[in-house]
Amino acid sequence: DAGVIQSPRHEVTEMGQEVTLRCKPISGHDYLFWYRQTMMRGLELLIYFNNNVPIDDSGMPEDRFSAKMPNASFSTLKIQPSEPRDSAVYFCASSLRGTTDTQYFGPGTRLTVL
Amino acid sequence: AQSVSQHNHHVILSEAASLELGCNYSYGGTVNLFWYVQYPGQHLQLLLKYFSGDPLVKGIKGFEAEFIKSKFSFNLRKPSVQWSDTAEYFCAVNTPKGSARQLTFGSGTQLTVLP
């Protein structure tokens, strides 16, 4: 299996622009997680899905952030409008059996908002 | 809220030295424990995990960790580090959140191994 796939790997945008990050989980994994990694706050869980349904979005920082999972093999994390403080590495992870199971991480998207 | 503490932010060792990275957590109930590693420019990879049973867990690349429930600790060890072990190491604890569980990560420890 190719593992968790994320795109783009790097994104540089200007403040106010819309940013869309993409993730393809490992085939057969029913759980998908979005994390954000910053120097100040470390790794934070933003949201996770089970069978394409958002289960816990309490980590989403504010309304500018939204995430969708239209099918079992694709998820997006959108930031609109983006701000410089959103600059971070965003990781997607998937797991087979849920929040008690091992999570497999993608390579991350490094987002820079100027 | 549950917390995971990694007190060593940056550890520098010479090759062949022994390694121990500390991890403490604040939840008193049943936990699942993980150590992940992030090599430079790469994604997080699982080193080892503890769910139940023998509290001494062996992982990949010669790493092991010991779960000490009374100390709320899950320290990572390796008897002899190599230059290729240079990476950032994250402890993570799976604790209840509502009806589900959530993985909470420590702040990470950057390990630099000098050749």
Side-chain angles (χ1 to χ4, degrees):
Chain A
D1 198 307
V4 176
I5 299 172
Q6 289 187 249
S7 65
R9 294 292 306 275
H10 301 273
E11 177 80 34
V12 180
T13 190
E14 293 187 345
M15 183 173 65
Q17 296 299 305
E18 178 180 295
V19 174
T20 300
L21 312 181
R22 298 172 179 81
C23 174
K24 176 179 167 52
I26 293 172
S27 177
H29 282 193
D30 290 336
Y31 288 78
L32 183 141
F33 306 81
W34 281 101
Y35 288 89
R36 178 172 67 176
Q37 184 181 37
T38 62
M39 289 291 291
M40 292 296 295
R41 300 174 67 90
L43 265 164
E44 305 172 278
L45 176 66
L46 300 177
I47 185 172
Y48 78 91
F49 295 82
N50 176 23
N51 290 325
N52 314 338
V53 176
I55 302 299
D56 183 356
D57 65 354
S58 59
M60 297 284 264
E62 48 197 275
D63 292 344
R64 298 184 296 106
F65 285 68
S66 62
K68 294 181 180 179
M69 193 164 185
N71 57 62
S73 60
F74 183 65
S75 177
T76 59
L77 178 68
K78 186 177 292 186
I79 308 172
Q80 165 63 16
S82 58
E83 296 182 3
R85 61 194 168 116
D86 301 330
S87 298
V89 180
Y90 291 81
F91 288 101
C92 177
S94 70
S95 74
L96 186 60
R97 286 184 293 270
T99 54
T100 59
D101 198 7
T102 300
Q103 293 179 27
Y104 296 86
F105 284 77
T109 295
R110 182 173 295 278
L111 173 64
T112 303
V113 183
L114 304 174
Chain B
Q2 315 306 333
S3 67
V4 181
S5 299
Q6 292 182 244
H7 303 293
N8 311 105
H9 297 294
H10 195 178
V11 172
I12 302 174
L13 296 172
S14 297
E15 275 194 315
S18 64
L19 169 72
E20 181 160 2
L21 302 181
C23 173
N24 289 91
Y25 59 93
S26 63
Y27 179 67
T30 301
V31 292
N32 307 132
L33 301 153
F34 304 79
W35 275 98
Y36 281 86
V37 61
Q38 187 175 24
Y39 296 103
Q42 296 189 28
H43 59 282
L44 281 86
Q45 303 170 44
L46 182 69
L47 265 183
L48 48 80
K49 62 184 178 183
Y50 171 80
F51 277 26
S52 63
D54 188 344
L56 184 61
V57 180
K58 295 195 182 298
I60 60 171
K61 304 186 180 185
F63 286 90
E64 65 178 31
E66 185 174 13
F67 170 51
I68 303 180
K69 188 174 181 179
S70 61
K71 295 185 178 180
F72 300 92
S73 71
F74 190 55
N75 292 354
L76 181 71
R77 300 195 292 248
K78 185 171 184 178
S80 176
V81 295
Q82 301 173 309
W83 176 79
S84 57
D85 293 324
T86 294
E88 190 156 17
Y89 293 80
F90 294 90
C91 179
V93 180
N94 209 314
T95 55
K97 185 180 180 188
S99 59
R101 297 181 79 92
Q102 176 175 305
L103 199 60
T104 301
F105 283 85
S107 56
T109 297
Q110 175 65 46
L111 171 66
T112 301
V113 180
L114 304 175

